[in-house]
Amino acid sequence: MRSFFVMADSFIHLVLEDLQKRDLAAEECTFIVPSQRTAIQLKRTIGQLSKRALFSPPVYTLTEWVAELCQKQSPSSSSLLLELFEAYRIIQTESEWVPFQTFMTWAPGLLSDFDQIDRYRVPAEELFEQLTELERIKRWDPSGDSTPLIDQHLAFCALLFPLYNQLNKQLADKAQGYSGALFREASELRATQNIKTNTSYVLLGFNALSTSESKLFQFLLEERTTHLYWDIDRLFLDQDYHDAGLFIRAYTQQWPYYKDHPVLGLHEKYQEAKKIRISQLPHPTTQAHYAGEWLKSKRESDSAALILADEELLPPLLQCIPDQVETLNITMGLPLKEQQLYQALDLIWQLEIRRTDEGWLSSDLRAATAHPRLSAYLRYKGIPESSLQRIGLLNLPERLNAESLSALLAQFVLPEEIFRAERFEPLSFLQNLLDFLPQVDLNTAGDHQSLGLLLRLLEETRLHCEQYPFLKDSMTVYALFAQSVRQASLDFIGNPFEGTQLMGILESRNLAFREVMITSLNEGILPKGEIGQSVIPYELQKHYGLPTTKEKDALFTYHFYRVLQWSQNIELVYSAPTDALMGGEPSRFIQQLLAEPMPAHTVEEESLASPVQIHRPLAIKIKKSPGLLVRLQQYAEEGFSPSSLSLYLRNPLDFYKRYVLRIPEIVQTELGLAPRLLGNVVHQCLEWLYEPVLNQNLDPAFYENELDHIPQLVKRGLLEELPGQETHRGKYVLIQKVIERYLHHFLEQEKALLESKSIRVLSLEQQYKTHLNKEKTRLLKGTLDRVEEVDGKIRIADYKTGKLILSELEYQGIGEDLREEKSQKRFQLLCYALLYKDATGHIPDQVGIYPIKDKGAGLQSLFERQGRNKTSVRLEEKEIEAFRVFLNVLIDEIMDPEIPFIENLDP
């Protein structure tokens, strides 16, 4: 078995040699390092350099050492969130409490701010007081007026320091503290007195230090026997403008210790001979294939590393690793949330969360029974595949209860572990999941690992539910569990001393490799250029010495150049997509390398393109069997709709799936501002508004009255569309305001029209039917949103909440152009005109669309162009009959046994 090569020319090796020159035996020192990976490599290198057997010296990560110094532990991230929520409920008035799931939207960012405040020893009370005053100035109005939103925001700012204090008090009572608080405590004088004096401390490989860390390190240097080694080339330290040396340069210039002591660890490795190749690829995913080939070429190398600047490249890269690569150690983890077993578990959560007294959402049932893990389990429980397929194929009502679902599954018993009868109770529900998950058939080691991690997180959540009484409803418990899952990942099992190493940029600290590839070197990825969510504005961050984007970019500048220092053969890869919207700008680090070449460096640039083979798929053809023709005739007698015929014109195969096979359109339950939600609520509200005045001449008093009713109607509409959701909070308040504005604009424009015209609404959401042939075997049916009479003229109107392109309403007669995608709106309006004419004997004077989102647009009807002018079209009898012929020809085509349903590959 090939061993991982320990470079004699590495930073760790340099440190140990220097200690040896100072007659310091490694086993007599206490080492403090930035990461566990450094600690592992350090121990191995000590063993390899030693000529005799020895006990391993104490090696701590800085976080471990600080926790031992303070005699405290940091709680888990979920425990910390719950402690913060508990503190919030203590200091906040009960009437002002927000739900836990709303709290979760800002709590992680606030905890990060608390951590930074303590790490950088910022006076918290002073900072939060200035924050409140700054926000008050920003929102000051000369009129002295305020709004509820501004008042709430300022009240939130005033809450921050009491919340900070309460959280720290609660954690101190439990001998706990979040990481920043422990570092702040460790840097205090009373804590530093506990640092041992009977050992020599060796600190190596650090770079950006917080104020607490800086004070702690200076104490060690001044008061204890300590050697601090910086891994940096002299060049970066001497160049004042270079961000790779930003932090270490400041320490060596500002710390009193360095007035009388040399800086340890300096070298000139970056200035030595190196071969650097910069490769441009056409797409981010192409990098995965390219990196896979690079791994193959380095499979015999004893010192190679593939560093992913963007860790999202890992999943596609795993699919591109050639079989010839036998040994590969992966230090990154796969996100648990992307694993199939968790996705099955999440579907069970969704069934429970969105269930009401009326039953489960049919969309959730379809998703659950279609999932490979859950469908396999249901088959194991005795429910046949044919019964499960019925859920996916049938046009189900919006909700099904246990009785109707059991009947749908041919009376098979519903597994209680998935379709629970009792209402949600956290402890029993979580215990049910703990019992259920191990029963799922797991086939791979990865799944076993997913199972173990999920069981641990479920048990942790269950213990939290026992400890915190506010964890009682399904949404709250799910929010907590989902947060834990988002932060969890599956670790790969490997050997850090064997084969090529695959890691992220931060895992490379203090390690040295002769051959390196760094992928995804695009601006916005490395450096990332953002510092995350924070309630502290930039001005205060800068004033109090908290890290800003400048410091974060400098941190990654150091890590990038540190990798290059110890490498000899380097390949830097970035993507430059042909689509400008996808970005593709190379990282500033690449630009800097090209602008500041080193004499001993050989830099090559190349642009690579993967061979492209376009394989146009064959269109699917469905021949019309006798049984299929019978089904088509049944559908023709039930009635074609304008929507179904439009779908056929767009893609015959989709028509076959939807209306012949009756496979329903899979619609995810919309919890945000989605087109379907917006359209449904607007349609419903307009129906409620005008129902009381059908067939009456409208007057201004109607509009004055109804404008005041809009908010209540929109609330009602949202509640009906989103049962069980808190539509009075958060994003739903914004959704409500958008819909209210649309409706206000609609009524206002109609009220203005009333000044010069009379208006009467004749019908709303009324269904019309007509037979297209004498044999009455072909029915056309459709729902007309609105039929109105304006100054004695009949107008048919269709509501559209989406974007309307006026050219789509240009009338060009009855011809083959109606088959085109751009003619679909005209096609539907002609269907409505035909339906109305056959039902009433009258041809409407106008047919058109109300574009609800376009303020003051009014009815946009079919029109003809006469030069630059547009004239509204009034259809004539011969045009209606020509369209009837067009529809019959179209339906002849649908019913023709010789014409198959052919997939449209370019819809």
Side-chain angles (χ1 to χ4, degrees):
M1 181 180 291
R2 179 166 54 86
S3 296
F4 178 77
F5 180 75
V6 178
M7 287 181 63
D9 199 10
S10 70
F11 177 65
I12 291 176
H13 196 280
L14 180 152
V15 170
L16 294 175
E17 281 188 341
D18 189 72
L19 291 175
Q20 193 174 31
K21 292 175 183 177
R22 297 171 185 273
D23 293 326
L24 272 175
E27 63 269 29
E28 296 174 359
C29 297
T30 297
F31 291 86
I32 302 175
V33 297
S35 66
Q36 281 290 352
R37 181 65 188 265
T38 303
I40 293 171
Q41 186 66 51
L42 175 62
K43 291 178 182 178
R44 182 175 179 84
T45 308
I46 290 172
Q48 290 184 330
L49 295 179
S50 176
K51 298 178 181 178
R52 57 185 176 81
L54 74 162
F55 288 105
S56 174
V59 180
Y60 296 93
T61 65
L62 182 57
T63 301
E64 292 171 342
W65 185 70
V66 164
E68 183 176 292
L69 188 64
C70 296
Q71 293 296 300
K72 291 181 179 179
Q73 293 297 323
S74 294
S76 67
S77 58
S78 59
S79 297
L80 198 53
L81 281 169
L82 291 169
E83 286 292 338
L84 183 65
F85 191 59
E86 186 86 342
Y88 166 79
R89 286 160 59 94
I90 290 173
I91 65 170
Q92 178 65 293
T93 307
E94 184 172 351
S95 60
E96 300 295 325
W97 287 353
V98 298
F100 184 72
Q101 52 268 34
T102 303
F103 166 85
M104 288 280 289
T105 61
W106 49 263
L110 188 59
L111 284 172
S112 176
D113 285 337
F114 287 174
D115 187 84
Q116 294 282 62
I117 286 169
D118 283 333
R119 279 183 184 273
Y120 286 83
R121 297 174 57 85
V122 174
E125 184 174 12
E126 179 184 309
L127 181 145
F128 287 126
E129 183 179 322
Q130 292 197 18
L131 170 63
T132 304
E133 293 305 315
L134 184 61
E135 293 299 305
R136 184 172 284 113
I137 292 170
K138 286 180 179 179
R139 288 157 178 78
W140 176 73
D141 190 316
S143 67
D145 294 337
S146 183
T147 66
L149 277 176
I150 291 177
D151 292 340
Q152 289 174 16
H153 178 70
L154 294 177
F156 173 77
C157 293
L159 194 72
L160 295 179
F161 180 64
L163 188 57
Y164 167 87
N165 265 347
Q166 181 62 35
L167 174 64
N168 278 284
K169 178 180 180 300
Q170 288 173 203
L171 294 176
D173 291 343
K174 298 179 179 180
Q176 293 180 337
Y178 50 84
S179 182
L182 296 187
F183 272 89
R184 185 170 199 154
E185 182 178 334
S187 67
E188 301 290 348
L189 182 60
R190 63 180 181 275
T192 56
Q193 300 305 319
N194 298 328
I195 298 175
K196 297 176 182 177
T197 58
N198 60 346
T199 185
S200 293
Y201 290 95
V202 179
L203 316 176
L204 66 147
F206 290 93
N207 174 38
L209 302 177
S210 67
T211 308
S212 295
E213 293 163 343
S214 174
K215 186 173 182 182
L216 196 55
F217 279 26
Q218 290 184 72
F219 176 85
L220 287 172
L221 289 170
E222 299 282 0
E223 304 294 336
R224 300 289 186 270
T225 303
T226 302
H227 297 82
L228 173 54
Y229 291 88
W230 306 103
D231 183 2
I232 191 168
D233 191 291
R234 295 179 187 275
L235 175 74
F236 303 135
L237 210 57
D238 295 338
Q239 292 180 339
D240 291 341
Y241 66 87
H242 208 299
D243 278 354
L246 178 71
F247 300 105
I248 299 174
R249 189 185 311 120
Y251 307 144
T252 58
Q253 292 174 357
Q254 297 170 11
W255 288 4
Y257 174 82
Y258 285 117
K259 292 180 179 179
D260 306 312
H261 297 83
V263 180
L264 303 183
L266 301 185
H267 50 73
E268 297 180 353
K269 296 299 177 183
Y270 179 70
Q271 302 171 62
E272 293 180 355
K274 301 182 189 300
K275 182 178 179 181
I276 302 174
R277 183 165 63 178
I278 301 171
S279 301
Q280 172 191 308
L281 292 172
H283 195 275
T285 54
T286 315
Q287 295 186 42
H289 295 276
Y290 188 64
E293 291 303 311
W294 185 87
L295 288 172
K296 179 180 175 181
S297 69
K298 305 301 177 186
R299 63 187 185 275
E300 298 299 328
S301 174
D302 54 8
S303 180
L306 173 58
I307 297 175
L308 305 186
D310 182 3
E311 297 190 8
E312 291 185 5
L313 191 64
L314 179 60
L317 174 60
L318 293 177
Q319 306 301 318
C320 300
I321 297 175
D323 294 337
Q324 294 90 334
V325 180
E326 297 179 354
T327 54
L328 180 67
N329 181 55
I330 304 174
T331 64
M332 295 174 291
L334 281 176
L336 179 60
K337 65 181 181 181
E338 296 177 5
Q339 305 310 303
Q340 194 180 71
L341 187 60
Y342 167 69
Q343 292 166 356
L345 179 62
D346 190 61
L347 289 171
I348 299 175
W349 272 105
Q350 299 309 317
L351 281 170
E352 187 67 30
I353 289 170
R354 297 201 275 248
R355 181 175 66 160
T356 66
D357 293 337
E358 298 174 355
W360 299 281
L361 278 171
S362 56
S363 58
D364 289 343
L365 288 169
R366 285 194 187 97
T369 53
H371 192 276
R373 294 284 178 202
L374 296 181
S375 61
Y377 181 76
L378 291 171
R379 291 194 300 271
Y380 165 74
K381 298 295 284 188
I383 299 178
E385 180 70 25
S386 58
S387 294
L388 295 176
Q389 290 176 347
R390 288 169 59 83
I391 296 177
L393 295 176
L394 294 182
N395 191 10
L396 303 177
E398 184 181 10
R399 291 187 178 274
L400 287 92
N401 57 27
E403 182 179 347
S404 57
L405 179 59
S406 180
L408 186 67
L409 295 175
Q411 302 301 327
F412 284 95
V413 177
L414 298 176
E416 177 66 16
E417 54 270 31
I418 298 178
F419 307 103
R420 292 165 49 84
E422 70 270 15
R423 299 302 296 164
F424 181 83
E425 194 283 318
L427 295 179
S428 65
F429 179 76
L430 291 167
Q431 189 59 53
N432 169 72
L433 294 179
L434 286 165
D435 295 338
F436 161 68
L437 271 189
Q439 299 179 47
V440 179
D441 181 28
L442 304 173
N443 301 311
T444 67
D447 279 327
H448 287 304
Q449 198 176 0
S450 299
L451 174 63
L453 186 50
L454 282 171
L455 291 176
R456 181 174 66 79
L457 295 178
L458 283 169
E459 179 61 24
E460 181 182 61
T461 305
R462 191 185 69 81
L463 293 174
H464 287 325
C465 289
E466 289 180 347
Q467 183 178 357
Y468 298 95
F470 55 79
L471 294 173
K472 54 186 178 182
D473 65 272
S474 57
M475 281 293 291
T476 300
V477 178
Y478 172 73
L480 177 65
F481 176 70
Q483 175 73 10
S484 299
V485 170
R486 281 193 292 272
Q487 297 175 339
S489 60
L490 301 178
D491 295 328
F492 290 90
I493 299 173
N495 186 341
F497 308 115
E498 183 182 351
T500 303
Q501 306 295 297
L502 199 165
M503 59 182 62
I505 188 74
L506 293 179
E507 282 92 29
S508 68
R509 286 177 292 187
N510 299 323
L511 304 182
F513 304 96
R514 277 203 305 262
E515 300 179 279
V516 169
M517 172 185 275
I518 306 178
T519 64
S520 305
L521 270 173
N522 286 86
E523 195 67 17
I525 297 177
L526 192 69
K528 203 169 185 66
E530 59 184 42
I531 59 173
Q533 181 184 5
S534 175
V535 300
I536 305 173
Y538 175 83
E539 301 95 324
L540 291 181
Q541 290 176 345
K542 192 72 176 172
H543 176 73
Y544 285 103
L546 293 171
T548 63
T549 305
K550 162 72 174 175
E551 285 73 34
K552 185 169 183 179
D553 287 352
L555 171 67
F556 283 99
T557 304
Y558 170 80
H559 288 307
F560 173 77
Y561 280 97
R562 200 217 64 80
V563 171
L564 269 55
Q565 287 174 168
W566 298 96
S567 302
Q568 297 168 6
N569 295 306
I570 302 157
E571 182 147 6
L572 308 176
V573 183
Y574 72 98
S575 60
T578 54
D579 183 355
L581 295 177
M582 296 180 65
E585 181 184 356
S587 168
R588 68 190 69 172
F589 301 152
I590 290 179
Q591 307 282 19
Q592 192 170 15
L593 281 174
L594 295 173
E596 301 174 352
M598 298 300 299
H601 293 184
T602 302
V603 181
E604 299 176 356
E605 291 185 82
E606 62 180 355
S607 180
L608 304 174
S610 55
V612 178
Q613 295 181 346
I614 300 176
H615 298 286
R616 184 172 177 82
L618 296 176
I620 298 174
K621 295 182 180 181
I622 305 296
K623 294 183 178 180
K624 295 171 183 173
S625 64
L628 192 154
L629 291 170
V630 170
R631 174 70 193 100
L632 280 174
Q633 186 56 50
Q634 290 174 348
Y635 182 71
E637 294 173 1
E638 293 170 3
F640 290 96
S641 68
S643 297
S644 66
L645 293 173
S646 293
L647 183 60
Y648 177 81
L649 291 173
R650 285 198 304 274
N651 192 341
L653 186 66
D654 288 343
F655 171 87
Y656 165 74
K657 292 177 180 178
R658 181 85 56 81
Y659 297 104
V660 180
L661 295 182
R662 297 185 178 182
I663 298 175
E665 181 184 7
I666 302 301
V667 180
Q668 296 295 326
T669 302
E670 295 173 328
L671 302 179
L673 184 54
R676 188 180 298 267
L677 169 66
L678 189 63
N680 290 349
V681 176
V682 168
H683 275 69
Q684 185 61 73
C685 288
L686 287 171
E687 184 178 0
W688 288 333
L689 281 167
Y690 286 95
E691 263 184 338
V693 292
L694 280 178
N695 293 303
Q696 299 178 24
N697 285 327
L698 301 179
D699 57 31
F702 162 76
Y703 297 99
E704 297 295 337
N705 184 53
E706 295 306 317
L707 283 169
D708 294 335
H709 291 163
I710 286 176
Q712 290 76 23
L713 292 178
V714 176
K715 288 179 183 177
R716 177 182 165 192
L718 285 171
L719 284 172
E720 291 194 3
E721 284 295 313
L722 303 170
Q725 299 299 316
E726 293 186 325
T727 56
H728 62 289
R729 292 183 181 274
K731 60 184 177 183
Y732 298 116
V733 176
L734 299 178
I735 294 171
Q736 179 177 331
K737 295 299 180 185
V738 169
I739 298 175
E740 286 179 17
R741 179 179 296 179
Y742 285 173
L743 295 176
H744 268 278
H745 291 167
F746 183 84
L747 292 185
E748 292 288 357
Q749 67 86 20
E750 196 170 74
K751 180 182 176 183
L753 181 66
L754 193 64
E755 294 177 2
S756 58
K757 299 180 183 295
S758 63
I759 303 174
R760 190 158 59 102
V761 179
L762 303 178
S763 68
L764 295 164
E765 305 295 336
Q766 183 173 334
Q767 188 175 72
Y768 290 78
K769 298 179 181 179
T770 185
H771 287 99
L772 295 173
N773 59 354
K774 294 179 180 179
E775 297 79 13
K776 296 187 177 181
T777 56
R778 296 177 179 179
L779 186 71
L780 178 68
K781 61 182 182 181
T783 300
L784 277 59
D785 288 347
R786 173 171 168 142
V787 179
E788 61 187 11
E789 182 183 325
V790 178
D791 271 359
K793 293 184 177 181
I794 303 299
R795 310 197 311 188
I796 293 175
D798 193 34
Y799 301 133
K800 294 293 184 187
T801 52
K803 182 177 178 59
L804 175 65
I805 301 173
L806 288 180
S807 61
E808 295 175 334
L809 298 181
E810 183 176 356
Y811 181 68
Q812 298 174 348
I814 309 299
E816 287 301 302
D817 68 300
L818 288 174
R819 290 177 173 268
E820 298 175 8
E821 174 69 24
K822 64 180 181 180
S823 303
Q824 293 305 296
K825 289 185 174 65
R826 276 183 281 143
F827 176 85
Q828 291 200 347
L829 292 177
L830 288 168
C831 286
Y832 296 150
L834 173 61
L835 286 166
Y836 183 80
K837 186 264 179 185
D838 283 2
T840 65
H842 301 288
I843 299 175
D845 296 287
Q846 285 180 277
V847 286
I849 290 173
Y850 275 120
I852 300 295
K853 69 186 298 183
D854 296 340
K855 182 178 180 180
L859 182 73
Q860 303 298 309
S861 61
L862 292 179
F863 68 89
E864 291 178 321
R865 290 189 184 275
Q866 296 178 350
R868 293 186 177 183
N869 299 321
K870 295 188 296 184
T871 305
S872 178
V873 170
R874 187 190 187 284
L875 297 170
E876 298 180 1
E877 177 83 24
K878 62 180 181 180
E879 291 171 308
I880 297 291
E881 293 308 313
F883 185 64
R884 190 191 308 274
V885 171
F886 177 87
L887 289 180
N888 274 301
V889 171
L890 180 62
I891 295 173
D892 284 342
E893 180 182 312
I894 294 173
M895 309 293 289
D896 192 332
E898 300 302 320
I899 301 178
F901 290 115
I902 303 177
E903 180 183 15
N904 181 6
L905 295 176
D906 300 303

